[in-house]
Structures are given as C-alpha cells and as structure tokens.
Amino acid sequence: LNKMSHSSHMCMSRQLVAEACIRSSRYDDAKLFLSDAVKDLPGNFDAAFALASFHLRMMFDSDADSCENNDALARTLLLKAAKMDTTRSGPFALLGVWYESQNDEARAKGCYQKALAIDPSHPVAGRGLKRILSLDELQPFCERATKQNSPVNGWAWRCLGQKRSWVDGEDSSAVICFQQALRCRDIQGQGSDSHEM
C-alpha cells in the first residue's frame, strides 16, 4: 500500500513538472516526465490521459517540431485512455478533436456525442459538436447540458441563445441564454469555437 501511494505521488508530481515544462516550451522534457509517469503506474488513467493529451496538444503547437509522430501516437494513446476508463468523458472529447483534425466528421461527431452522453456539459465536446452540427441538430445536446448546474456549460447557453435569436426570432429568450452563458467560465470570447482544450 505504501509503495502504491509513493508511486501515485511520483506520478502526479511528474505530471505537474511536465505541465511546467510545456509552459516554458521544453517539450522533450515534458514528454519524458509524462512517459515516466505512465511507466511508474501503467494502469493509471490520469497518467495515460495526460500523455495522450500532451501528444494531441503537440499536434496543434507550431513550436513543438521536436516531438515527431504526434498525430498517430495521440490517437493511439487517447484510445488506450478511453478503454482504461469508459466512464470518463475527456478521452472521447479529445478523440473527437483528433478525428475532426483529420477531417473525419462522422467519427468526430460520434466521439463528441459519447463524451456528452457521459458528461452533458463537457465544453470541448460541446464546442466540437457546434462546429459540426446545425443549431437545430445541436439543440437537444444544449438543453441537456443546461439542465445541469455547471460552470462550464456556457457553450450550451450560447448555442441556445443563438438558436432562439437567429432561428426562432425570440430575442428576449435569447438574451436570458446569453446572460447565463456569460456567467460560465468556459465562455472566452470570439475565439472560443477553435480547437482549444
């Protein structure tokens, strides 16, 4: 038990150091720390997901040329993380981002929908579906997300506001939705629909 606790603490410490390395553009060091965390606890979901997320992040980072094969490796590691714990929405949402980046909208849509089935307010999955679906198709997902009291369901309130204003012509109802969206921490302004994680 004590050895397991020590390994778990080392694993978490390596993940924190890796995040600091990423922030200072030391990608090779970050990759090493995250890989070591996975080696320490091979069955640990958090370590596996952190490594998978790192490789996906490097796909979109123009300064990360030193980490090769991030595309295929990101997908493989995200699939492993998704299999490790099918009750966690993160790997499915990021798989959606990966498939969307490969122009595979059908698989991206499926992954985003799976993530939202697990966590209806997941902001990455919600914004991903917003890029793929029309406002009419997105409405049931938004309504389900807004039924939860969540600080990250602003994407859903924003989409409902847009639908009520642009499609339904209900501006007074749309204003209420937009006010709710502004109270959430996932609303970042004009660039919030990009592939940000």
Side-chain angles (χ1 to χ4, degrees), residues 39 42 72 114 133 144 149 175 180:
K39 287 176 191 168
K114 173 73 174 173
L133 301 178
R144 187 166 174 237
N149 186 14
V175 167
Q180 285 295 112

Side-chain angles (χ1 to χ4, degrees), residues 81-130:
K83 287 178 185 173
M84 284 177 128
D85 190 347
T86 58
T87 65
R88 306 277 287 269
S89 58
F92 296 105
L94 294 187
L95 274 167
V97 170
W98 189 89
Y99 283 117
E100 190 177 352
S101 75
Q102 305 299 310
N103 297 315
D104 189 345
E105 283 192 1
R107 284 192 176 136
K109 178 182 167 185
C111 289
Y112 290 142
Q113 288 175 333
K114 173 73 174 173
L116 289 174
I118 297 168
D119 177 5
S121 64
H122 197 287
V124 173
R127 288 194 307 264
L129 271 185
K130 183 179 186 272

Side-chain angles (χ1 to χ4, degrees), residues 182-193:
L182 290 172
R183 291 184 179 113
C184 297
R185 70 173 190 223
D186 66 309
I187 296 297
Q188 305 157 353
Q190 297 290 20
S192 66
D193 290 337

Side-chain angles (χ1 to χ4, degrees), residues 27-42:
Y27 304 114
D28 289 333
D29 291 339
K31 181 180 175 183
L32 181 66
F33 278 106
L34 290 170
S35 297
D36 286 347
V38 170
K39 287 176 191 168
D40 282 352
L41 286 173

Side-chain angles (χ1 to χ4, degrees), residues 143-163:
E143 288 175 350
R144 187 166 174 237
T146 57
K147 287 180 182 173
Q148 290 191 324
N149 186 14
S150 170
V152 292
N153 64 358
W155 64 270
W157 285 110
R158 183 178 182 188
C159 291
L160 284 178
Q162 289 170 338
K163 181 180 184 312

